[in-house]
Amino acid sequence: AQSVTQLDSQVPVFEEAPVELRCNYSSSVSVYLFWYVQYPNQGLQLLLKYLSGSTLVKGINGFEAEFNKSQTSFHLRKPSVHISDTAEYFCAVPNSNSGYALNFGKGTSLLVTP
Amino acid sequence: ETGVTQSPTHLIKTRGQQVTLRCSSQSGHNTVSWYQQALGQGPQFIFQYYREEENGRGNFPPRFSGLQFPNYSSELNVNALELDDSALYLCASSLGQGGVYTFGSGTRLTVV
């Protein structure tokens, strides 16, 4: 089954600094990839998705991600973070063995401090 | 359009009891999936319903069961509750299998 690995459990960063959250996926014939954000005590909100086409995907709140087939990666980036970006970020991939429901990574906790 | 709504938002149950959680899918969506998110963990897939039929299941025991209704709303039932069932339960809906999933805010279940 398709799976993703998030390489960092916690990423501390200062406000207005750039950030990269790393995600690697298991190789497959075709890949759809997603990043979701979860603010404290809330559900998941879709940040961005890669379905096909351009490998650079832009999402909400100034985030973007690049699909890299040779490195099987889909890292999330933001050039300048805000305090309000403090949240849990999840990378996810559909599982063809489960009706294409999502397999999630363990999450990366982004902590933005002044 | 309305999003995915879940009820209740919080509940506390005693070990051994049974619980039913409810989910209303986003308008026009015919696929509903359920996830369990333990504290500090990523969501774990429980099962998915497509047009009222279960079409995928994760590694959860049979005491986790569900239903999808003709209006595509869904229920998650858990029997013989255990302490480890304490978690945030998330419902997500999409148009078709492999579509983009919209998540609800979840139900926080505490088993004591």
Side-chain angles (χ1 to χ4, degrees):
Chain A
Q2 292 90 336
S3 64
V4 290
T5 301
Q6 292 184 245
L7 301 170
D8 307 293
S9 59
Q10 292 184 339
V11 174
V13 63
F14 289 112
E15 191 175 19
E16 298 183 4
V19 70
E20 178 180 84
L21 307 183
R22 297 182 294 169
C23 173
N24 285 96
Y25 64 91
S26 61
S27 181
S28 181
V29 175
S30 63
V31 181
Y32 295 165
L33 290 160
F34 302 84
W35 276 100
Y36 282 85
V37 60
Q38 185 176 36
Y39 298 103
N41 300 313
Q42 294 189 25
L44 300 174
Q45 181 181 5
L46 180 66
L47 267 179
L48 50 78
K49 60 184 182 291
Y50 172 77
L51 303 180
S52 65
S54 173
T55 57
L56 183 62
V57 180
K58 294 190 182 298
I60 62 171
N61 301 341
F63 284 93
E64 62 181 32
E66 185 166 14
F67 173 70
N68 188 319
K69 189 173 182 178
S70 63
Q71 297 186 6
T72 61
S73 68
F74 189 56
H75 299 335
L76 181 70
R77 302 184 181 103
K78 186 169 183 177
S80 176
V81 295
H82 302 292
I83 299 288
S84 59
D85 292 323
T86 293
E88 195 79 17
Y89 292 79
F90 294 96
C91 184
V93 64
N95 183 355
S96 59
N97 295 334
S98 299
Y100 298 97
L102 296 173
N103 280 348
F104 285 88
K106 293 186 177 181
T108 297
S109 179
L110 176 64
L111 177 61
V112 182
T113 54
Chain B
E1 61 181 21
T2 57
V4 177
T5 57
Q6 294 187 241
S7 62
T9 54
H10 298 81
L11 76 166
I12 300 174
K13 289 286 188 178
T14 303
R15 189 172 49 183
Q17 285 188 314
Q18 179 266 343
V19 69
T20 297
L21 310 182
R22 294 178 173 82
C23 172
S24 293
S25 59
Q26 182 170 312
S27 177
H29 286 187
N30 55 16
T31 303
V32 173
S33 54
W34 286 91
Y35 297 82
Q36 180 195 67
Q37 186 179 19
L39 201 60
Q41 301 295 317
Q44 297 293 313
F45 172 64
I46 304 174
F47 46 60
Q48 177 169 280
Y49 283 84
Y50 172 63
R51 293 184 175 179
E52 303 180 59
E53 296 287 331
E54 185 180 294
N55 74 336
R57 190 176 181 92
N59 188 26
F60 280 80
R63 59 190 185 83
F64 286 78
S65 63
L67 283 173
Q68 187 178 31
F69 300 99
N71 66 354
Y72 302 129
S73 65
S74 177
E75 286 183 354
L76 163 64
N77 300 289
V78 187
N79 294 321
L81 283 166
E82 301 176 359
L83 297 179
D84 285 348
D85 296 333
S86 295
L88 180 67
Y89 288 84
L90 295 165
C91 171
S93 72
S94 71
L95 177 59
Q97 302 174 80
V100 177
Y101 289 88
T102 301
F103 282 78
S105 297
T107 294
R108 173 74 63 185
L109 172 65
T110 302
V111 182
V112 298

